[in-house]
Amino acid sequence: MANREALRELHARLAARLQAARSEGVAAASWLAVEAGGGKYLMPLAQSGEIFPWSGVLPVPYTQPWFMGVANLRGTLAAVVDFPGLMGHRVARTEMSLGDASLLAFNAALEVNAALLVDRLLGLRGPQNFAGMQDAPADAPAYWGATYFDEAGEPWQEIHLQNLSQDPVFLSIRA
């Protein structure tokens, strides 16, 4: 129970920092950093919406395995996509692991009622947090941005949520 309370506090702190970064125009923070399926990803703050703790979803039959279902997020019905599954990484989900997961909603300006299930929130990042970068390969999906490398040499993949929301694979949930 204490773990859930700590997770709620983390969500509240991150939401406050996201709002402050947006309203103050802080150049230092460009992305929301998340971990999903063992990979590290950077979601642009301008395209990211509210963060919600896992609260369960209503499954939808005859859909892709990565489409988890729909959830009520503050009165809005949102499609919930298992982000690692969409990226081709199978992750065994248990109620315990889902208890630590979060739903990252798309920014309302993108006009997509969807949220990505991510395993862990890692805070805010900016270009100053990385030692190098590499442009996306020519054959990468349109929603892939540059790959950034931290001081330890670990890769962080930038994901453009606006492009993801228009990707044919993302839009084709039917199995």
Side-chain angles (χ1 to χ4, degrees):
M1 203 51 139
N3 196 17
R4 283 191 180 236
E5 188 60 34
L7 187 59
R8 283 193 181 105
E9 289 174 14
L10 172 65
H11 284 191
R13 284 194 315 270
L14 277 175
R17 288 182 65 193
L18 275 170
Q19 186 58 37
R22 284 191 190 121
S23 63
E24 296 171 12
V26 176
S30 301
W31 303 288
L32 174 65
V34 301
E35 186 175 335
K40 294 182 178 177
Y41 299 94
L42 301 168
M43 311 295 184
L45 286 179
Q47 298 172 16
S48 301
E50 193 169 351
I51 300 165
F52 297 91
W54 171 259
S55 60
V57 299
L58 181 63
V60 177
Y62 309 113
T63 57
Q64 294 290 337
W66 47 262
F67 187 80
M68 299 193 74
V70 293
N72 180 350
L73 304 178
R74 288 200 199 273
T76 300
L77 193 60
V80 177
V81 172
D82 183 4
F83 184 62
L86 178 66
M87 302 301 288
H89 306 290
R90 287 276 188 224
V91 176
R93 300 281 184 199
T94 64
E95 278 303 313
M96 183 172 244
S97 69
L98 286 172
D100 294 333
S102 298
L103 298 176
L104 172 61
F106 285 63
N107 189 306
L110 299 179
E111 298 181 348
V112 177
N113 289 345
L116 300 177
L117 177 73
V118 297
D119 299 325
R120 237 173 61 176
L121 300 171
L122 300 175
L124 300 176
R125 300 288 192 279
Q128 72 279 3
N129 297 112
F130 298 99
M133 66 152 309
Q134 180 179 19
D135 289 332
D139 61 345
Y143 53 85
W144 276 44
T147 302
Y148 291 83
F149 297 93
D150 60 20
E151 294 294 330
E154 287 194 55
W156 294 71
Q157 181 62 54
E158 181 180 25
I159 301 293
H160 295 286
L161 296 176
Q162 182 173 13
N163 293 350
L164 177 62
S165 72
Q166 299 167 3
D167 187 76
V169 173
F170 180 83
L171 295 172
S172 301
I173 64 167
R174 188 176 72 198

